[in-house]
């Protein structure tokens, strides 16, 4: 009843008549048709179900169909139907929506989700800010943003109380309880019926809520632990040496990491191993003396310190891609599902030739000229085995010409304190450790070597290698055209430095 009164009051204060706007406004304009007016009202008041039930044939003949498609995409995003949301967003683009308008809708949805997370964290101020941003980013000039933000916050609090009740009651969970929990905490649908049934066996809604919030997926997605820390240590010495290892996938980096960490206490080693450094507070990063992970150049350069030593390893590009494929293919199904390893999923579905033919694979920043991408700072900001954000990757990697990207990668490589070549690993270790003033290891034990770990790692299985064909070699050549030039440049410089 309270929700109905709130909604009535807000509708009275919110006009749906278009307001004058500048020529530079690219957000969704106010509704001009009854169908769009209806859809827009559903969107403003979080009525996602009404929008997700709309079918394509109902929209394609409508005036301003691209705007309807964007609102429907946003609703599917909020319901966790990510694939369907992407389909509607692409359809909106095909019907004439601008890329910026699509981005605004998706960013709006992200703020809405973060608002729900803030409610779970009992941070009302942050929740209010995110709900306000979720509306204001759309630039709907004829809405009362503040009032709608308050409504959205109240509405979400009520829904969360209803669907994920923090109660000690031992009532049995329904399928809908589980689905709603996944939507509001993980922002997605449960994987399958088996997942729904297993979570429905939990003792209470409180246990369901706790299980999802404490999951690795929730921690990774929102980085809750790190984002909310405040570091007040004023005794940090920014002049002391910090070693930053930019670990490019499948270049012997796991072995290098093990050699480096022996020189540091565990409290001095940053736990982040994926490309999420930009989500850390600078105060936290300054606490560590070894930062080693799949970071790109931009992330490495933002780490505080006056005596930072940035190092990396390179590898012959085609060999790197072949190694990457078989390592991904070796992952077992349960690991792929649990950790959402999209590249491993594809590697298990396709032969090596067909895998590298896939557009999704070719657009991945860790596949196509990955070493150049890392050195110019455009690797995707997440775990690299996850699905590629093709549109974002394309935008980032095409803002300069290939030769400009290659030139910048060479410049940044030379500006590192040291780099090594995997094919000359022993010499690389000696060179790097001397450059960063650490004792050179007396022996080297290889880590993560596939022939070894697929027998010892319970998450991996044995794989059979396929022969190299002329067609495969040609595809790999195209995917590593810039990386090959970078590698030859690095190899020549490396050999000269050794003499």
């Amino acid at each position: 009843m309270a929700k109905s009164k709130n909604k009535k009051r807000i509708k009275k204060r919110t006009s749906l008549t278009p307001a004058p706007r500048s020529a530079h406004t690219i957000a969704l304009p106010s509704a001009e048709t009854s169908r769009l007016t209806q859809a827009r009202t559903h969107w403003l008041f979080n009525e996602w179900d009404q929008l997700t039930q709309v079918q394509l044939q109902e929209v394609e003949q409508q005036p301003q169909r691209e705007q309807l498609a964007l609102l429907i995409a946003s609703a599917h995003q909020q319901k966790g139907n990510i694939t369907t949301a992407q389909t509607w967003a692409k359809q909106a683009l095909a019907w004439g929506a601008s890329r910026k308008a699509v981005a605004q809708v998706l960013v709006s949805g992200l703020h809405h989700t973060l608002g729900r997370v803030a409610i779970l964290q009992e941070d009302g101020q942050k929740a209010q800010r995110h709900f306000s941003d979720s509306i204001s980013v759309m630039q709907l000039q004829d809405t009362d943003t503040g009032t709608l933000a308050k409504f959205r916050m109240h509405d979400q609090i009520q829904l969360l109380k209803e669907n994920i009740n923090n109660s000690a009651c031992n009532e049995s969970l329904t399928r809908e309880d589980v689905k709603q929990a996944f939507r509001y905490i993980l922002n997605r649908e449960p994987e399958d019926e088996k997942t729904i049934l297993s979570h429905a066996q939990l003792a209470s809604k409180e246990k369901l809520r706790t299980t999802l919030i404490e999951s690795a997926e929730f921690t990774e997605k929102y980085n809750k632990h790190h984002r909310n820390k405040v570091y007040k240590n004023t005794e940090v010495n920014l002049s002391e040496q910090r070693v930053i290892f930019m670990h490019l996938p499948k270049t012997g980096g796991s072995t290098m990491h093990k050699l480096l960490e022996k020189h540091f206490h565990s409290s001095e080693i940053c736990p982040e191993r994926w490309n999420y450094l930009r989500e850390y507070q600078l105060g936290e990063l300054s606490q560590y003396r070894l930062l080693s992970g799949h970071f790109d150049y931009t992330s490495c350069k933002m780490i505080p310190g006056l005596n930072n030593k940035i190092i990396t390893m390179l590898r012959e590009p085609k060999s790197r891609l072949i190694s990457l494929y078989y390592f991904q293919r070796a992952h077992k199904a349960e690991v792929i599902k649990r950790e959402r390893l999209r590249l491993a999923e594809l590697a298990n579905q396709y032969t090596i030739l067909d895998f590298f033919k896939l557009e999704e694979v070719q657009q991945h920043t860790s596949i196509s000229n990955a070493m150049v991408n890392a050195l110019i700072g455009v690797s995707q900001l997440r775990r690299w085995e996850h699905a590629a954000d093709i549109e974002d990757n394309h935008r980032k990697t095409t803002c300069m010409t290939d030769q400009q990207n290659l030139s910048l990668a060479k410049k940044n490589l030379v500006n590192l304190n040291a780099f090594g070549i995997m094919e000359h690993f022993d010499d690389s270790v000696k060179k790097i450790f001397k450059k960063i003033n650490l004792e050179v290891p007396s022996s080297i034990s290889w880590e993560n070597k596939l022939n070894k770990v697929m027998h010892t790692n319970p998450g991996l299985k044995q794989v059979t290698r396929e022969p190299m064909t002329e067609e495969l070699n040609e595809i790999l050549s195209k995917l590593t055209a810039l990386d090959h030039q970078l590698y030859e440049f690095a190899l020549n410089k490396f050999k000269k430095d050794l003499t």
Side-chain angles (χ1 to χ4, degrees):
M1 193 71 172
K3 177 177 175 181
S4 176
K5 289 180 179 178
N6 277 342
K7 183 171 176 179
K8 184 176 181 181
R9 182 182 71 251
I10 296 168
K11 283 188 176 181
K12 186 176 181 180
R13 295 181 58 183
T14 305
S15 168
L16 292 176
T17 304
R21 57 185 64 237
S22 72
H24 299 291
T25 300
I26 52 77
L28 297 175
S30 302
E32 295 178 0
T33 69
S34 58
R35 191 59 186 262
L36 184 56
T37 299
Q38 184 182 52
R40 191 169 180 270
T41 301
H42 290 320
W43 185 87
L44 288 171
F45 292 99
N46 303 340
E47 295 169 347
W48 313 124
D49 286 335
Q50 288 88 333
L51 287 169
T52 57
Q53 291 169 9
V54 178
Q55 301 299 312
L56 179 64
Q57 56 268 30
E58 300 176 57
V59 178
E60 53 190 358
Q61 300 302 322
Q62 290 289 325
Q64 298 176 301
R65 58 186 181 178
E66 74 282 0
Q67 297 174 33
L68 273 168
L70 287 177
L71 294 175
I72 295 168
S74 179
H76 279 289
Q77 181 188 20
Q78 290 307 313
K79 295 286 286 184
N81 308 328
I82 304 304
T83 301
T84 308
Q86 291 173 339
T87 299
W88 277 102
K90 290 177 181 178
Q91 186 62 68
L93 287 170
W95 284 339
S98 69
R99 291 186 179 275
K100 189 167 184 181
V102 174
Q104 283 175 296
V105 169
L106 298 180
V107 169
S108 171
L110 175 60
H111 278 298
H112 192 85
T113 298
L114 292 175
R116 295 203 305 260
V117 173
I119 290 173
L120 290 171
Q121 296 171 341
E122 299 181 354
D123 189 336
Q125 187 176 6
K126 183 187 288 186
Q128 178 79 17
R129 186 170 66 250
H130 279 301
F131 287 128
S132 178
D133 288 344
S134 76
I135 299 165
S136 62
V137 73
M138 296 286 285
Q139 298 181 15
L140 298 173
Q141 297 179 359
D142 57 346
T143 61
D144 186 334
T145 299
T147 301
L148 280 169
K150 290 177 183 176
F151 165 76
R152 284 194 168 192
M153 183 171 173
H154 173 78
D155 182 59
Q156 292 304 304
I157 289 173
Q158 291 303 115
L159 283 173
L160 287 169
K161 283 181 178 179
E162 293 170 7
N163 295 307
I164 316 168
N165 189 8
N166 188 8
S167 164
C169 178
N170 239 357
E171 61 186 11
S172 61
L173 296 174
T174 66
R175 295 179 73 261
E176 191 60 27
D177 288 331
V178 175
K179 292 171 70 175
Q180 291 286 0
F182 268 77
R183 289 167 184 164
Y184 283 99
I185 295 179
L186 299 182
N187 196 31
R188 65 175 177 85
E189 296 291 325
E191 292 92 335
D192 49 35
E193 190 66 22
K194 182 179 178 181
T195 301
I196 295 174
L197 293 176
S198 66
H199 282 79
Q201 299 305 310
L202 295 173
S204 66
K205 292 180 180 179
E206 179 185 11
K207 181 62 176 176
L208 172 61
R209 174 181 182 270
T210 302
T211 298
L212 295 183
I213 289 177
E214 292 180 351
S215 68
E217 180 179 347
F218 182 87
T219 301
E220 180 184 340
K221 186 172 287 186
Y222 299 110
N223 217 354
K224 180 180 69 172
H225 174 71
H226 297 297
R227 285 177 177 173
N228 293 330
K229 278 190 176 181
V230 177
Y231 289 83
K232 299 180 179 180
N233 186 355
T234 58
E235 299 179 0
V236 171
N237 182 2
L238 294 179
S239 297
E240 68 180 347
Q241 174 174 293
R242 285 175 180 77
V243 175
I244 304 164
F245 176 42
M246 186 167 64
H247 177 182
L248 308 184
K250 310 312 298 175
T251 61
S254 296
T255 301
M256 180 63 74
H257 174 83
K258 285 293 184 182
L259 295 174
L260 289 168
E261 69 176 1
K262 294 176 182 178
H263 293 268
F264 300 90
H265 187 273
S266 59
S267 63
E268 297 178 312
I269 302 173
C270 179
E272 185 58 64
R273 296 286 286 137
W274 311 109
N275 202 22
Y276 285 108
L277 284 187
R278 298 183 210 186
E279 301 200 6
Y280 282 62
Q281 297 179 26
L282 296 182
E284 181 174 8
L285 293 179
S286 66
Q287 309 292 308
Y288 303 118
R289 293 186 58 228
L290 173 62
L291 300 98
S292 170
H294 297 293
F295 318 139
D296 62 18
Y297 184 81
T298 303
S299 297
C300 293
K301 293 297 287 185
M302 59 160 266
I303 297 170
L306 303 175
N307 190 23
N308 292 351
K309 307 292 186 184
I310 304 177
I311 60 175
T312 196
M313 290 286 296
L314 303 181
R315 181 179 183 179
E316 195 283 315
K318 292 181 185 178
S319 298
R320 193 193 74 85
L321 285 187
I322 292 171
S323 174
L324 181 150
Y325 169 79
Y326 288 115
F327 186 72
Q328 295 303 303
R329 189 174 176 85
H331 284 79
K332 291 182 178 178
E334 59 267 26
V335 177
I336 295 173
K337 182 177 180 180
R338 183 180 68 244
E339 300 185 22
R340 297 175 293 115
L341 305 180
R342 178 59 174 164
L343 289 180
E345 179 184 0
L346 294 173
N348 275 270
Q349 293 176 3
Y350 294 93
T351 66
I352 187 170
L353 176 61
D354 290 335
F355 174 81
F356 286 115
K357 281 184 175 181
L358 295 171
E359 180 183 2
E360 180 179 353
V361 171
Q362 293 185 357
Q363 295 292 330
H364 204 294
T365 56
S366 292
I367 301 288
S368 178
N369 295 310
M371 297 192 295
V372 167
N373 290 336
L375 280 163
I376 64 176
V378 298
S379 299
Q380 62 185 30
L381 302 178
R382 63 186 69 153
R383 184 168 176 175
W384 67 269
E385 298 105 323
H386 285 176
D389 185 339
I390 293 179
E391 182 174 328
D392 185 52
N393 291 347
H394 179 74
R395 175 185 60 80
K396 290 191 297 187
T397 56
T398 57
C399 61
M400 297 191 297
T401 67
D402 284 350
Q403 285 308 307
Q404 287 173 328
N405 287 333
L406 179 59
S407 296
L408 179 59
K410 289 179 178 179
K411 177 182 176 182
N412 291 340
L413 179 69
V414 172
N415 286 336
L416 298 182
N417 295 90
F419 67 85
I421 303 293
M422 181 177 170
E423 288 78 9
H424 300 272
F425 198 83
D426 288 356
D427 287 335
S428 295
V429 170
K430 292 177 184 177
K431 174 186 174 183
I432 289 173
F433 274 66
K434 287 179 181 178
K435 284 281 188 178
I436 60 178
N437 304 312
L438 296 180
E439 183 180 350
V440 176
S442 57
S443 63
I444 297 173
S445 176
W446 278 89
E447 304 286 337
N448 234 13
K449 200 166 185 179
L450 184 57
N451 289 339
K452 173 184 175 183
V453 296
M454 68 182 181
H455 296 290
T456 59
N457 188 324
L460 299 178
K461 63 179 186 294
Q462 295 187 50
V463 294
T464 302
R465 293 181 178 269
E466 302 172 50
M468 170 64 80
T469 64
E470 185 176 337
E471 186 177 5
L472 174 59
N473 185 60
E474 183 179 344
I475 290 176
L476 294 178
S477 295
K478 291 179 180 178
L479 289 172
T480 59
L482 297 182
D483 270 1
H484 177 74
Q485 295 180 66
L486 175 69
Y487 178 78
E488 290 298 317
F489 168 82
L491 183 59
N492 289 334
K493 187 173 188 337
F494 180 83
K495 290 181 176 179
K496 286 180 182 178
D497 291 345
L498 289 180
T499 57

